[in-house]
Every structure is written in structure tokens, then in C-alpha cells.
Amino acid sequence: MTSQVERLTFKCTAPLQLGHSLHVTVPTNSHNITPLVPPPPISASTTGTIELHTTPDTYPVWTTTVPVVKGSCSSGPKPLNYRYCVKTTDGAGVKWEGEEISEHGGVVAEAGDEGILPESRSGRVGRRVVKYRSVAGARDDSGVITDAFEDGFDGPEYDESTKAWRELYAKPQKQRSNEGAGRIDFISDEEISRGEETSDRKSALFLICYHLPIQLWRDSGGAWRGKWQNSLLAKTDGSVADAVPTFWIGGVKIPGLTPSDERDIKAVCEAMNAHPIFIPQELHEHSYLGMCKQVLWPFFHNIDMLDVSTSGFGDNPAVEEARPGDAPSIWDQSRLHKKWWESYQRVNMMFADLASSVMRPGDTAWVHDYHLAILPKLLEKRQVREAGRRTTSTIFFLHIPFPTSQVFRELECGEWILEGMLSADVVGFHAFDHARHFLNASKRLMGLNYESKFGGLIGLQYRGRTVMVSTSHVSIEPTVMTATMKHSAALGVRDGIRSLHSGRQVLGGVDVAQKLSGVALKFLAYEKLLEDYPVWQRKLVLVQRVLTPRNRTKDEDQTLRHVRTIVRRIEAKHGAGCIDYKEAEGSELPVAERVGLWMATDVYFNSTIREGLNLGPLEYVYCRGGGVPGVVVCSEFSAACNILNGALRINPFDVQQTSAVLDKALKMGLDEKEKRRGRDIDFVSQRTASQWSRHVLRDLKEAVAASKEEDAGNVVSEGELLSFSHVNVMNLVSAFRSSSERVIICDYGGTLLSKEAPGKYLKRDISATSGRKPRPDVMSSLERLCEDPRNTVFVVSGVNRRELEGSLGSIPRIGLAASNGACFSWPSTAEDGAREWHAFQFGVDWEDVKAVAIPIMSKYAARTNGSSLKILDLSISWSYFSADPEWGAIQAKFIVPELQDKLKAFDVQVVMLKGQVEIVPKLLHKGVLVKRLLRELAAKNKKYPQFTMVVGDDKSDEPMFAASFDFLAEQVDPDFVAASSPSLPVALVTGGSGSFDSSDSKPPTRSPTPTLGRRLSHDTNLVLPPFKAESQYAYTITVGRKASNATEFLHNAREVEDLLVALAMADEGEHNKDIKKRLSTLSTESWDDQHTIDSSFYDI
């Protein structure tokens, strides 16, 4: 059953030194409580605590002078936990219960915390177990909590690294318990280095990739066997799997498997901590060979739609086999949804199904590469549906390049791909070029801003949380390379090349047969070298191996034809001995053959145009140790170019320059070769896959720590959301039925009206409410609620009053507030529905403000194409909705300080919003309006409302929640009205007239003649009714699970709509079973339905 409003007073006996002060802090949403000030950050500061007071007569008893309001919770009452602290005389130190005074303002870490706490800007603020007092048994009937301040006390343990009351709020999960709920409970860096496990570690790491890195085969007896492949993702000696429980999830593609074979392979893999996924052949062809290799791979390598369609980058049998005139357009991407894209979704769903069945809360999923780009989103959706929150951490690492935003936006499914990647906690790349393109795409396609974070990470703000972007490159496995260098197979390859080409220096390289490998450019440069430097014609050979994986056959065939033509031409000019060219099937050479080639090669030659992960140059550097070092000639477009400081860089398109660099490499002396290898060998030999894994996990650890630090100053941190409850609609309906005076206050865009999906243009994201209305069900429910005289319904929005009135003004008796509460209209009682609008007077001379601001804003509008000025009654804004978002944001950073400097003398503030810079009164926010509305209604009705519900979805709505609790607190102590806000702005009639007599303090009535400037009553003149102890319900609800002053949440605007439908039905006396039946037929879409694609997508 839903809980009622409680007003609590803290009374504590504490004999403190003269000048010291006592404070109390309460974790907010985790206990459904909203004090009048925000809670403290995890530090020694008393910011956000509630101060207690004493007098000479009452000392040493300290008491809160303002009641702390414990709001209603539809899911039932929750425990209240709190603790005290003492502020020192000079304010430099703080003593929390159970801790020592820290004079420098820091917190003394408890013993045993070393190596566990994540570093941050303010020091160690991570995992601290703090004991809180419990309110149970300490509160009397009048709501007074009586305590004594002391260091030693008993109470439930509260883990501030996750804010998780695990023993109170653990929920059963499928197959595994909810121990360790929340973010990943990291073991220390020191423990990872030692390879030791901690006794209290409860989380595991899951490596998820399309190809399971296990080689499977039948032995002589027909039994299936498996061993780890030579892969970046395989288990190796000293890997992170030795310290953290690690599991693998990946696809197995072996033709002709029977159900019995699949069972046997599954048993083999599970013995290796691996979970195989058997992907049907047709699904594999459409998803992997189709969507991944023909569409995503070229797009991610920066190939635009024209080249994909016409230049062999995308096989399209429909075009090639159709009769003339019947072939679809080369621009048509509809086939992606019909076949390839649908298969891609289904494969990702298969991975999501298996991962969700084996992972438990607190685990980490590390998803690899573009084949599974939407998997992080699918995992998040499943967790939110089943547990109401994210229960695991996710890393997504892309091993190929990321394209420019201009190319990426050509991809019809690009936004889904982007949203999938952004659903991870950390998104990783091998090179900053790739990360920069990802950041730009996020900004230009989805309007997301990013900033540098402490520790070198970059943070993207996405749906109320920070997604960290990192770059890190992996190197080779020295133990594998060393062993292979001694193997007879590798030595045989080396000796064979040297014997075959005795007396010649060797240029060596291995490339895949594709245009972007630049292998054709390599042969052109080699041809130019032999022509311009004839001395090398009898002293040099190019040993080139070209691989044909046969997953992009058209591109491979075209590339091979081109390369073979050039090879024949060079051999005809300079003899067959100058080239050793061979083709090999597969995506890589066997390791022994590669190592043998590197040991025989004097100069490694790479001419790639675009590539992601390529360990060839790094293997070469390592294999050329112990003798005469080799030289790496590397394309400036390769990822290795940014890693190998000793490499000679080339632009493969500049054939003349490339041939000159090759000549320099061939003539290089021993001393320079050794120095160049010396620059790179430390990185090459030390950044193993295990070390790289640790670095990426450390990035995740820092991302979580940074998120906690940012949340520490917020109303509630992410960990506290573990017990931040979802609204129980039926319990709330019961409270609504039992109340006679009800107030419903709702935000508009994002609350009553779903926001549009993020678009390729900033304007689509900004103007998400323009020209749109709520669904008919919502309009009907609002109208029915407004018809009941017991209800007062107000919609508060940031849009202007013309737009708001155009959308909702047709509903009789609904109250409207526009421009974030700057102007408002009481419910209209006129027969013609005409409204009277009122505006707050903030004491700002807008004519003088305009004289200063408009010239400055006009200057920036002139230099920023697409920007404009907008002048309203109580604000002036410069909008760059239609401008280039990046250029507009740059200009906004300059216009804000310039306006702030020129407007210092005025009682206004300059705020930077998404897509605009606005000048508004300093006191303006939605909380001003909410408090006035509640006070006016209480004064008019001579009683306080029994039921109050405030709903909003973003930061601008947070003051509404706080104001509603201020109103509840002041009901007990009317003098708190003047103490808390003695000078709220005066409201003026701005549309219609209507006198308003302050003596009876009632909403104005309409009169025929409009008059501007008629004064409403001051709050200090309101006659509030005496407080009566009776059932009272107050709900504050935010849309989306995030840091908020609200006590409960709904997942999305669709759930808000369903709630209003339920209240309207209850208002008309319908039975609960009918309401439940109606709700079950309403919203069936996913919790954040952003796109109107096929219904099976995300339907996990």
C-alpha cells in the first residue's frame, strides 16, 4: 500500500565545542525522502546537509528548525537511514560519525581501502563502507527522532561505492542471485597484477565476440576437441582471466553440424568457460557476409554510398542478375531491412539472449567489434525490463575505423548502430582518429556534447549518464613470437626466402586482397623505385603475400585482377626475380609462415589506405631483434603509424615520395636502425593482450569512479537508484480515490508528449514538441480529470504560451504555464474558453537589457548561418537550432561570457541551453510557479490538498519537485513561508484583466476589458489555513531512471500517459480490475521507443 506524507524533526544530544555545528544527512531517493537541501557529496564538505540548531537554554540538545518531509511512495514505505557530522570552528574540517577529523577537508580512508578506491580529482572517493543510523524505534508519534551523537553506534552498512542497500533491496534474478547488485565490484589494481582473487569479489567478465576464439576439430576417434586460437581475445598465460572470473561468448560456424555435434561442442566449450552460439547458415550469410561485410565494413572504412553501390565494395546480386530496367536503384537501401539488416538484428538478439541467461548483476560484458554493435542496447533493454535498471557494466570496443559523420549519416540504420554503441559505459577505439569521428557523429547525428575528463578520458552525455570514450592499442604476445621464432616451420620459411633470393634485399608485406589495403599502390611505388633508382633492379625483391578471405568476393576479385596486371608488367620490365608474389586463401597467414617472412625481410612495407587493428608491423619489429634490425615503412593512414615512433611514414597515394622513402630505408645504416627499433620495442613487447585488457578495464573503473564523483554533488547518485522505485499505478490510484482535494502538475515535452527520436539535424532534437499534440487517449483523460471540481490540473512547459495554448488550450478548465513558468493561466471558466494570462514581475527593465544584449546577439547571428534572435516577454534568446551544431556551440561559448560581462548590472542570468543561449531573470524556474500555485489553491480552498502529484522529465523540472516538498514543510510551520522565500516575484496580469483581491487570495476571474500590469497578492500576504493532521499524499515522479529530486520514476512518456488514463478512469468510478484490464491493452512498446521500425526489433 502507498505510504503517506511524514514530517520529521531531528533532535540530537551532542556536547560540542563552542563554535562547532551539528548537521544531519539523509540519502535521498534510496529512502524516498527529499530534504529541503540536496544531500552531501562523498567528501568532508557539509554542502547539502541539514543544520541543527541549539540555544543556551536547550544546549546540548540540537534540533532541526525545518521539518524534513518524507514523501509518499506508491510501492509502500521504505526505511529511513541517516548520520550526523560536526563542522569544525574554522570550517576547514568535518567529522562524520565513525571517522577522524580531516583538517584539510578530506576524508580519512578506512584501513584496508588501499588499492580498491578509484582515483579522482578530489582524491580517493570510491569504495567506502559507512554505517548509517536507522530510524526504526527512534521516532515518537509526533515525528521527532531523538539521538545522541557518538562515534560508536550500530546500524546497517551502506556501501558508498554503489549506494546499494543490498541486504534490503536485493531481488531474485533468473538462475543467479542479486548479490553484488550495481556496477562491477572491481578488485584492486594490485590484486590484478598479482593474479590473486579477493574473497569478496562477486563479479565476472564476459568477452563477447562474433567468432568464438576456439579451434574445434574431431580427433581420430570422432570426438570433438578444442584449443584456444592465436587470437587477441583468446585465453593466454598471465591474462586477466587469471585474476577475474572470465567467460567467453561467441559464434561457431561449422557446416553440417547435427544436434548431437552441437551438444558435444557445447560441452567442450563450457569446459573452457566458453558459451557457443550456433548461427544458422542462412542467417550467417545475410548478417555476416551481407550486412557486416558488404555494408558496415565499407561504411566504417569511410566508403560513401556511391562507391559502395558502384565500385565493387558491396555485392548486390539483385542488381547484377536483374534484367535491364528491372534492377533496383543503386541508392536503394531497402534491401537492408528486408534481409541483411533484419538478420543482423536477429543475430544480435541471439547473443543478447545467451548473455542475459548466464550473466548476473555486477558482471561486465565486453562486446567486440561492429558485428555486435547493437548488442549493448539490447542488453540494457532486457535488464531494464526485468530489473527496472541497468544491472551490468558494458564495454564496446571497435577494432576497425569509424567513419566521418558525413559518410556515417548516409547509412540508413546508422542511428541504431550509434545508439547501440552509446548504450555501453565505455566505447573503445585503437586510434584517436577513429574516436574523433565517433564523437563528431554523436554530436551531429544525435546532438550529444562531449568533454575531456580527468585521467585523459572523454565523456559523452547520453540519456542522463556519461559514456566514456577511450583509445588504446594492443600489441603482440612476445612468448608466442619467441617460441615461433625458434620453431622449425618458421626457420624453414626464413631460410627458404633467403636461399631463393640470395644476394637481394627483401621488401616484405602481407595484405588482404581489397582496395583499401593499398596493395596495388604498393606495387606502383615499387615499380617507381626500380625505375628511378635502377641500382636496386638486381639487388632487391618484393616478397608479397595476398590473402583472399572470400567474404567480399567482388572487391577481392577486382583487386586481384588489378594487382596481377601490375605484377606481370613489372616482371616483364625487370625480370621475374624482382617479385615473389603469392596468393593464399584465408584471412591471415599461419603464424609460423608470418614469422619466417618477418625474419627474412629487411624492410617491412605497409601501404594501407584505411585499416583498424593490424599487428603485422609490431610483429616485424619484435622478430627483427637479436641481429640486424629491420625498418618499418608504414602508411600514414594505418593505425600502427600512430604507435611506432621509429617507422618511416608514407602517403601511399604519393608514389614518388613513397619510392624515395623506400630508397632511404634500404640505405639506412645499422646505428639508425637500432635507434628506430629502440623507440618501439618497449611498447611492442609490453602491451600484450592481457595488459591491454587491464588498461581497458581500468578505463571502465575510472569511468565508474568519475561517474560517482559527478553524481556526488547531484541530488542522488547512480548507485542510489538501485532502490529508486518505479511507480505502482494501482496503489497511486487508491490514494487518488481516497482524496477530496487533488492537484496534478505535469511537464509537457518528454512527459505528456514523447520526444521525437534524435535526428541528423540538431533542430529535430530541439524542437521535439513543435506542432505536435499528445495522443487522443491523453487529451481525453486530461479533459475528464479537469471536469471534476475536486481536481486542479496544470501543465507547465518551456514552450511559449502561444504554442502551449495551441496544443492544450482546447481543454476546458486546464491550467497552463509557459516559458518555464514565467507566465501562467488559471483554468478557464469562461464559456468561450478564453484565457487570462499572468506573468511574474522579476523587477527587470527589459528595455535596458535589450539595448545592451541585442547588438551583441545580432553580431553573433550575422556570423553564424542559420542562427536567429527570439524576443519574448521575459527572455531574449539567441538560437542556433538550424545552424551547424559544432559551429553554433563554438559561438555559444563566446557569446555567453560576453553577455555576462555586459549584463552584470542587471538582475538577469545568461544560460546556455541545448541549441540556444537565453537571457532570463535570475529567479526564474518552474519551482517558483509550483509553490505559488499550491499556496494560492490552499488559500482559496481554506485547506491543503490531500493528493499532490508532480511529474517531469528533465533538469528544468527538478525545482518543481523541491518546491512541492517546501510546500509540505511549511504547512506545519506557517512562519517558514517568510523564512524560506520572503520575496517571491509578483505576478502581473498580461492577457485579459480580471481583478484579484489579495484579501481573499483566489484565482482571478475574467473581465471583458484586457488590462496589463494588475498586481496579484504577495506570498507574505497569503492567509494559509491551519495544519490538520490527516491523510496526505504527495508524489514526485520523474520520467526515466536518473539522478533526481523525485521520489519515484516512470520509464517513459508512454507510462505517464497510461497513468493519466488510469486516474481518469478512477475519477469516473471504474473498478480497479477494469483499470488493470485497460492498462494491459495500452502501451506495449519498449520502454524508450525511439524508432518506428519492425516490432520485433528490441522485443527481447
Side-chain angles (χ1 to χ4, degrees):
M1 183 63 183
T2 185
S3 59
Q4 299 179 12
V5 171
E6 294 183 77
R7 297 170 178 82
L8 307 175
T9 300
F10 290 88
K11 189 175 182 180
C12 183
T13 300
L16 305 181
Q17 299 179 25
L18 183 65
H20 287 198
S21 58
L22 185 67
H23 300 250
V24 66
T25 180
V26 183
T28 55
N29 284 340
S30 58
H31 307 287
N32 196 32
I33 189 162
T34 302
L36 301 177
V37 290
I42 308 174
S43 68
S45 170
T46 53
T47 302
T49 59
I50 305 169
E51 185 174 2
L52 286 77
H53 298 271
T54 189
T55 67
D57 295 332
T58 60
Y59 181 81
V61 178
W62 301 71
T63 309
T64 52
T65 58
V66 175
V68 176
V69 177
K70 189 169 184 281
S72 300
C73 181
S74 61
S75 59
K78 291 187 177 180
L80 170 66
N81 296 273
Y82 60 96
R83 66 173 178 153
Y84 293 99
C85 68
V86 178
K87 186 176 180 180
T88 58
T89 307
D90 57 3
V94 171
K95 181 178 181 180
W96 292 93
E97 288 185 297
E99 296 176 357
E100 300 177 4
I101 287 285
S102 175
E103 295 297 337
H104 54 75
V107 176
V108 179
E110 299 173 3
D113 280 349
E114 289 300 317
I116 296 178
L117 305 177
E119 296 290 344
S120 69
R121 281 186 292 263
S122 58
R124 293 187 177 274
V125 298
R127 189 178 190 277
R128 293 167 51 233
V129 177
V130 180
K131 291 184 176 181
Y132 272 62
R133 294 175 182 258
S134 173
V135 76
R139 176 176 47 186
D140 59 25
D141 293 337
S142 62
V144 177
I145 302 172
T146 305
D147 292 304
F149 177 69
E150 53 189 10
D151 284 345
F153 59 93
D154 295 322
E157 289 193 348
Y158 189 67
D159 186 343
E160 287 200 11
S161 70
T162 62
K163 302 288 191 297
W165 292 85
R166 296 188 176 112
E167 72 277 17
L168 295 177
Y169 301 122
K171 297 180 180 180
Q173 298 289 331
K174 292 182 179 179
Q175 300 188 16
R176 300 176 75 173
S177 69
N178 197 29
E179 295 182 25
R183 315 292 273 186
I184 184 171
D185 188 9
F186 287 95
I187 64 176
S188 68
D189 295 342
E190 181 181 356
E191 288 157 346
I192 289 179
S193 300
R194 293 197 309 264
E196 298 176 0
E197 294 187 11
T198 58
S199 59
D200 62 345
R201 176 191 45 72
K202 297 182 175 66
S203 56
L205 175 65
F206 284 79
L207 300 176
I208 307 176
C209 49
Y210 188 86
H211 302 286
L212 192 66
I214 295 178
Q215 181 180 345
L216 296 163
W217 75 97
R218 292 182 186 272
D219 63 16
S220 57
W224 284 99
R225 304 294 181 187
K227 69 175 183 179
W228 293 107
Q229 294 177 342
N230 179 25
S231 167
L232 170 68
L233 305 181
K235 184 177 181 180
T236 57
D237 292 337
S239 70
V240 71
D242 294 336
V244 178
T246 304
F247 302 87
W248 284 259
I249 297 176
V252 171
K253 186 64 192 72
I254 301 176
L257 291 178
T258 66
S260 176
D261 291 332
E262 292 183 358
R263 287 193 298 270
D264 293 343
I265 290 174
K266 184 178 180 181
V268 170
C269 292
E270 287 181 348
M272 303 170 70
N273 279 0
H275 301 278
I277 295 178
F278 300 98
I279 304 173
Q281 178 65 25
E282 184 178 5
L283 200 60
H284 169 75
E285 290 177 356
H286 290 166
S287 175
Y288 180 74
L289 298 179
M291 188 67 199
C292 293
K293 289 302 181 181
Q294 312 306 326
V295 179
L296 295 184
W297 190 92
F299 267 105
F300 273 69
H301 283 77
N302 235 19
I303 305 301
D304 66 21
M305 175 60 67
L306 180 61
D307 286 331
V308 168
S309 301
T310 63
S311 301
F313 285 102
D315 294 345
N316 188 356
V319 173
E320 296 169 0
E321 298 171 4
R323 293 175 300 176
D326 293 338
S329 169
I330 61 173
W331 304 99
D332 183 15
Q333 295 187 55
S334 62
R335 70 182 190 278
L336 307 186
H337 282 291
K338 292 178 181 177
K339 183 170 57 178
W340 294 347
W341 173 238
E342 180 181 332
S343 299
Y344 183 85
Q345 297 173 45
R346 289 179 177 172
V347 167
N348 277 257
M349 289 176 193
M350 292 176 64
F351 276 82
D353 289 340
L354 179 57
S356 298
S357 69
V358 297
M359 293 177 66
R360 67 181 179 184
D363 288 343
T364 292
W366 188 347
V367 182
H368 288 271
D369 229 0
Y370 65 108
H371 318 92
L372 303 173
I374 62 175
L375 179 57
K377 181 75 169 181
L378 297 176
L379 292 175
E380 179 188 50
K381 281 179 170 291
R382 179 184 286 272
Q383 291 165 14
V384 171
R385 282 184 174 181
E386 295 183 353
R389 58 183 173 87
R390 294 166 61 97
T391 58
T392 63
S393 298
T394 307
I395 304 169
F396 179 82
F397 208 99
L398 187 66
H399 296 284
I400 62 175
F402 194 90
T404 64
S405 61
Q406 194 167 9
V407 170
F408 190 77
R409 70 174 56 187
E410 296 176 9
L411 185 60
E412 190 174 25
C413 55
E415 289 181 25
W416 285 274
I417 299 290
L418 202 57
E419 286 187 356
M421 296 173 65
L422 287 166
S423 295
D425 297 283
V426 174
V427 181
F429 302 89
H430 286 298
F432 180 69
D433 273 353
H434 310 159
R436 184 177 66 244
H437 291 161
F438 173 76
L439 294 171
N440 287 337
S442 300
K443 185 177 184 67
R444 291 180 176 274
L445 273 70
M446 305 189 68
L448 304 182
N449 294 318
Y450 58 88
E451 61 181 359
S452 298
K453 298 291 183 180
F454 183 80
L457 298 175
I458 300 173
L460 267 171
Q461 298 303 316
Y462 178 65
R463 290 188 179 169
R465 62 187 182 85
T466 301
V467 180
M468 295 297 182
V469 179
S470 69
T471 59
S472 58
H473 205 292
V474 66
S475 185
I476 62 170
E477 298 296 324
T479 54
V480 174
M481 289 291 105
T482 300
T484 307
M485 290 168 65
K486 299 175 182 178
H487 196 276
S488 58
L491 295 174
V493 172
R494 180 200 63 183
D495 295 341
I497 293 175
R498 288 179 176 175
S499 175
L500 180 63
H501 306 294
S502 177
R504 293 177 182 260
Q505 290 197 53
V506 178
L507 286 175
V510 178
D511 298 282
V512 178
Q514 58 192 19
K515 293 182 177 68
L516 297 185
S517 294
V519 63
L521 293 174
K522 177 184 292 189
F523 279 104
L524 291 176
Y526 182 64
E527 183 180 33
K528 186 68 173 176
L529 173 69
L530 298 181
E531 292 175 356
D532 291 355
Y533 302 90
V535 66
W536 297 115
Q537 292 178 0
R538 296 293 182 267
K539 298 180 179 180
L540 184 64
V541 61
L542 172 59
V543 179
Q544 178 65 42
R545 302 294 179 257
V546 176
L547 306 174
T548 56
R550 307 310 294 169
N551 52 33
R552 300 182 62 255
T553 56
K554 190 173 182 179
D555 184 14
E556 293 173 20
D557 292 342
Q558 289 184 359
T559 301
L560 289 175
R561 285 197 298 270
H562 191 191
V563 168
R564 291 166 185 165
T565 299
I566 300 175
V567 169
R568 287 193 296 268
R569 186 175 69 217
I570 295 174
E571 289 179 334
K573 288 182 181 179
H574 305 289
C578 66
I579 290 181
D580 182 349
Y581 172 81
K582 293 180 181 179
E583 298 170 4
E585 291 187 1
S587 57
E588 64 177 12
L589 285 180
V591 61
E593 191 170 345
R594 290 201 315 272
V595 170
L597 174 59
W598 303 149
M599 289 191 293
T601 298
D602 298 292
V603 176
Y604 176 91
F605 188 10
N606 170 277
S607 59
T608 187
I609 297 172
R610 296 185 188 104
E611 69 173 2
L613 177 65
N614 179 8
L615 298 181
L618 286 73
E619 289 180 348
Y620 176 77
V621 170
Y622 187 85
C623 291
R624 292 295 297 187
V628 178
V631 182
V632 175
V633 175
C634 200
S635 167
E636 64 184 50
F637 304 113
S638 66
C641 179
N642 299 315
I643 299 168
L644 299 179
N645 296 319
L648 295 176
R649 293 167 173 79
I650 61 167
N651 181 340
F653 293 103
D654 189 343
V655 176
Q656 182 72 49
Q657 179 252 2
T658 301
S659 65
V661 172
L662 289 173
D663 178 68
K664 177 182 178 180
L666 293 167
K667 294 177 179 177
M668 188 176 294
L670 177 61
D671 183 60
E672 184 176 354
K673 288 181 179 180
E674 290 177 343
K675 289 180 179 179
R676 286 183 176 274
R677 183 176 185 272
R679 298 178 194 174
D680 301 322
I681 190 59
D682 286 344
F683 175 88
V684 168
S685 59
Q686 295 175 12
R687 185 62 70 91
T688 61
S690 60
Q691 287 298 322
W692 171 72
S693 299
R694 287 176 169 83
H695 282 294
V696 177
L697 289 175
R698 186 172 293 115
D699 285 345
L700 176 62
K701 183 177 179 180
E702 291 185 6
V704 173
S707 178
K708 290 173 189 169
E709 184 181 2
E710 291 173 356
D711 287 337
N714 291 338
V715 178
V716 59
S717 72
E718 184 168 349
E720 286 175 325
L721 299 178
L722 296 175
S723 54
F724 187 31
S725 58
H726 185 269
V727 172
N728 185 309
V729 174
M730 299 313 300
N731 284 346
L732 190 147
V733 166
S734 296
F736 179 80
R737 286 184 190 274
S738 64
S739 304
S740 57
E741 297 291 334
R742 310 146 172 170
V743 179
I744 299 173
I745 301 174
C746 288
D747 173 52
Y748 185 50
T751 303
L752 291 181
L753 186 66
S754 299
K755 290 183 177 178
E756 289 181 341
K760 293 181 173 64
Y761 303 99
L762 185 59
K763 187 173 182 178
R764 267 184 63 191
D765 189 39
I766 298 299
S767 56
T769 61
S770 298
R772 299 170 61 217
K773 290 185 178 182
R775 291 191 304 157
D777 273 348
V778 181
M779 296 290 285
S780 174
S781 298
L782 289 173
E783 187 169 350
R784 289 151 62 191
L785 287 169
C786 291
E787 288 174 352
D788 190 333
R790 295 175 295 176
N791 302 332
T792 300
V793 181
F794 249 91
V795 175
V796 185
S797 175
V799 302
N800 61 56
R801 68 186 189 185
R802 179 184 302 175
E803 187 173 329
L804 185 62
E805 194 168 9
S807 298
L808 299 174
S810 61
I811 300 176
R813 298 183 180 87
I814 190 170
L816 301 177
S819 301
N820 288 323
C823 54
F824 63 97
S825 167
W826 286 97
S828 174
T829 57
E831 292 184 2
D832 60 357
R835 291 186 170 274
E836 185 174 70
W837 285 89
H838 311 270
F840 285 112
Q841 177 59 263
F842 293 94
V844 178
D845 189 335
W846 285 102
E847 293 303 320
D848 288 348
V849 173
K850 291 175 185 177
V852 175
I854 289 179
I856 298 173
M857 301 173 94
S858 298
K859 175 181 66 176
Y860 281 88
R863 69 171 61 143
T864 310
N865 292 336
S867 66
S868 61
L869 268 65
K870 192 173 185 179
I871 302 174
L872 300 176
D873 294 333
L874 292 177
S875 68
I876 310 171
S877 65
W878 174 72
S879 164
Y880 57 95
F881 291 162
S882 301
D884 180 282
E886 193 164 0
W887 177 241
I890 292 173
Q891 295 300 302
K893 290 181 180 179
F894 287 97
I895 193 176
V896 169
E898 187 171 347
L899 287 171
Q900 288 174 336
D901 180 63
K902 300 298 183 182
L903 297 174
K904 286 186 295 187
F906 300 94
D907 198 21
V908 296
Q909 60 178 331
V910 182
V911 294
M912 183 185 292
L913 304 174
K914 195 172 185 181
Q916 68 177 343
V917 172
E918 191 170 14
I919 303 170
V920 297
K922 286 183 178 178
L923 297 178
L924 175 62
H925 57 75
K926 292 182 180 180
V928 173
L929 172 77
V930 169
K931 190 177 291 187
R932 172 174 287 280
L933 294 179
L934 293 172
R935 289 175 177 173
E936 296 280 1
L937 288 169
K940 170 197 171 186
N941 299 326
K942 302 298 189 291
K943 65 181 299 186
Y944 294 104
Q946 286 183 274
F947 178 95
T948 305
M949 185 179 77
V950 181
V951 190
D953 75 301
D954 59 25
K955 289 183 178 180
S956 69
D957 301 316
E958 294 300 319
M960 295 200 302
F961 305 143
S964 67
F965 280 94
D966 283 357
F967 176 69
L968 291 169
E970 72 188 27
Q971 294 177 18
V972 179
D973 182 8
D975 293 336
F976 175 65
V977 176
S980 63
S981 50
S983 58
L984 284 179
V986 175
L988 301 178
V989 181
T990 61
S993 66
S995 61
F996 184 41
D997 184 356
S998 62
S999 63
D1000 60 52
S1001 187
K1002 62 185 179 181
T1005 57
R1006 181 173 175 79
S1007 64
T1009 308
T1011 305
L1012 296 183
R1014 186 156 301 186
R1015 183 180 298 274
L1016 295 179
S1017 64
H1018 286 278
D1019 276 17
T1020 51
N1021 293 331
L1022 284 174
V1023 180
L1024 294 177
F1027 176 73
K1028 294 181 180 180
E1030 59 181 352
S1031 297
Q1032 197 172 17
Y1033 304 94
Y1035 301 93
T1036 51
I1037 302 170
T1038 187
V1039 180
R1041 192 179 184 88
K1042 56 182 178 292
S1044 173
N1045 267 317
T1047 56
E1048 297 181 280
F1049 72 94
L1050 292 168
H1051 284 306
N1052 54 27
R1054 188 57 64 88
E1055 288 193 354
V1056 178
E1057 298 170 356
D1058 295 349
L1059 174 59
L1060 292 175
V1061 170
L1063 292 178
M1065 294 178 69
D1067 205 34
E1068 295 178 346
E1070 298 194 32
H1071 294 293
N1072 282 358
K1073 64 178 182 179
D1074 297 324
I1075 296 176
K1076 290 181 179 179
K1077 183 178 180 181
R1078 171 64 172 155
L1079 291 179
S1080 67
T1081 62
L1082 285 174
S1083 177
T1084 59
E1085 298 182 14
S1086 59
W1087 62 271
D1088 64 345
D1089 50 304
Q1090 292 288 313
H1091 303 284
T1092 54
I1093 61 172
D1094 53 279
S1095 59
S1096 63
F1097 190 38
Y1098 297 152
D1099 187 16
I1100 308 173

